[in-house]
Amino acid sequence: MKIGLFNDNCLGIVNGEFIIDISSLVEWNKKEPQKSLVKFMADFEEKRNEIEKQLTTLPSYLLKDVSLCAPVPNPSKIVAAPINYVLHQEEMNVALTVDRLGFFLKAPSSIIGPDETVLLPFKDRRTDHEAEIAFVIGREAKDVPASEAADYIFGYFALMDITVRGKEDRPWRKSFDTFTPIGPWIVTGDEVEDPNNLQMNLWVNEEIRQSANTSDLIYDCYKFLEAASKVMTLYPGDIVTTGTPEGVAPITKGDTIRINIERIGEFSVSVDYKEDAELTNKVKVNQI
């Protein structure tokens, strides 16, 4: 299934060009979407058949007419992989990869959804796009071997890890507000089938910048979950993201970034300078 949040955090199932509102079938509170999502994931297998039976009777909307939200709005943490593709290691000219670097954390407050705007905090520092496949934890995971990791993953989605270049630690350079666009929805593991063999592409203004297959990961999705869960408990609703391939490059005001992952889907975000966006908003408010 493709499970998305839309129009101020209604819960929907994506079916072709439509999204079907299933909020009334489950214990869903739009004011607490993360808590509701965790409960939904816990009950999903029990309620899945009933949801499928009711889909034709529920309100549906064209995807082009709704506003998609971040499918995982407020996890307790975002666990991210550094240097997890060999060719990215070469382009960044660094000695160590994920097997020695481990992982880092990003701020959950950096999350935005499809069609929102990445706000660049600096006009005089390089900021890059990074395309990644990510997943949401479905049940509490600690010391999980890679061979069992799929049982702890509820579903997958696309993620952009926006990054300011510099000497500061990764969490600082990657945790600015709006620096983690995710979407377009969560795709359950049975529909993705093999997350470690998917084509992933990213464009900036129709120019393809990144193109790779997740089969090139050093630590694939399952191995990275194993590595992270050896250190910390992963809770339902947490996001784990697996690192970016080669092709990272700068973004600037006016750009549109689009990411597509095979069997998952695609979404876009725009880019602006934080200072300029705040000035524009201030002018709009003064005109009201």
Side-chain angles (χ1 to χ4, degrees):
M1 279 189 177
K2 295 182 174 70
I3 299 157
L5 304 188
F6 70 103
N7 290 0
D8 296 322
N9 292 319
C10 295
L11 178 67
I13 300 296
V14 177
N15 184 10
E17 297 179 353
F18 293 87
I19 188 165
I20 302 162
D21 190 344
I22 65 166
S23 303
S24 62
L25 287 185
V26 299
E27 297 178 35
W28 191 261
N29 183 347
K30 294 196 299 182
K31 295 182 179 180
E32 295 184 317
Q34 183 70 22
K35 181 179 179 180
S36 297
L37 176 64
V38 170
K39 181 69 167 66
F40 172 76
M41 293 190 297
D43 297 340
F44 180 69
E45 290 305 324
E46 177 186 340
K47 294 187 175 182
R48 181 169 186 163
N49 287 340
E50 182 62 24
I51 291 171
E52 290 175 340
K53 290 178 183 178
Q54 295 289 336
L55 287 181
T56 58
T57 68
L58 296 169
S60 66
Y61 309 89
L62 283 168
L63 279 169
K64 66 181 183 64
D65 293 335
V66 304
S67 176
L68 292 173
C69 308
V72 184
N74 189 27
S76 73
K77 53 186 169 290
I78 304 171
V79 185
I83 314 297
N84 201 14
Y85 289 81
V86 171
L87 292 181
H88 180 51
Q89 177 192 17
E90 293 176 1
E91 76 174 351
M92 299 306 292
N93 192 28
V94 293
L96 303 179
T97 64
V98 63
D99 60 337
R100 293 284 302 278
L101 294 171
F103 59 80
F104 62 93
L105 299 179
K106 292 192 68 170
S109 54
S110 65
I111 289 173
I112 60 173
D115 299 317
E116 294 193 58
T117 302
V118 172
L119 299 176
L120 306 181
F122 308 110
K123 294 185 177 182
D124 58 351
R125 290 187 62 172
R126 172 174 166 170
T127 302
D128 289 355
H129 58 73
E130 297 188 0
E132 308 193 8
I133 183 172
F135 54 85
V136 59
I137 297 297
R139 60 191 181 101
E140 188 172 307
K142 182 69 175 76
D143 296 321
V144 175
S147 60
E148 299 175 12
D151 296 334
Y152 293 81
I153 298 172
F154 180 74
Y156 301 82
F157 49 91
L159 180 148
M160 301 179 198
D161 180 18
I162 308 301
T163 305
V164 173
R165 296 300 172 199
K167 295 182 178 180
E168 299 90 353
D169 285 344
R170 284 182 175 87
W172 187 93
R173 294 186 289 107
K174 294 170 175 279
S175 286
F176 288 90
D177 288 354
T178 75
F179 268 30
T180 311
I182 63 173
W185 37 67
I186 300 166
V187 183
T188 53
D190 59 309
E191 190 164 332
V192 169
E193 294 182 354
D194 183 3
N196 301 312
N197 187 20
L198 299 176
Q199 180 62 31
M200 177 169 58
N201 298 314
L202 180 142
W203 298 259
V204 175
N205 304 328
E206 303 306 320
E207 173 195 356
I208 193 160
R209 295 275 187 87
Q210 295 183 271
S211 182
N213 194 285
T214 58
S215 61
D216 296 326
L217 283 161
I218 298 171
Y219 276 16
D220 67 19
C221 292
Y222 303 150
K223 177 66 174 176
F224 189 52
L225 188 153
E226 176 185 76
S229 72
K230 282 183 178 179
V231 177
M232 64 176 71
T233 301
L234 301 173
Y235 293 110
D238 282 351
I239 289 175
V240 179
T241 187
T242 58
T244 194
E246 72 280 6
V248 300
I251 52 176
T252 191
K253 177 176 179 171
D255 285 343
T256 297
I257 315 170
R258 175 165 58 99
I259 186 173
N260 178 287
I261 301 181
E262 180 185 2
R263 305 188 72 87
I264 293 176
E266 73 174 47
F267 73 95
S268 300
V269 292
S270 57
V271 182
D272 199 356
Y273 288 119
K274 182 175 183 289
E275 177 184 316
D276 293 350
E278 290 174 344
L279 180 60
T280 299
N281 290 334
K282 183 177 180 179
V283 170
K284 288 180 179 178
V285 169
N286 291 337
Q287 290 175 341
I288 295 175

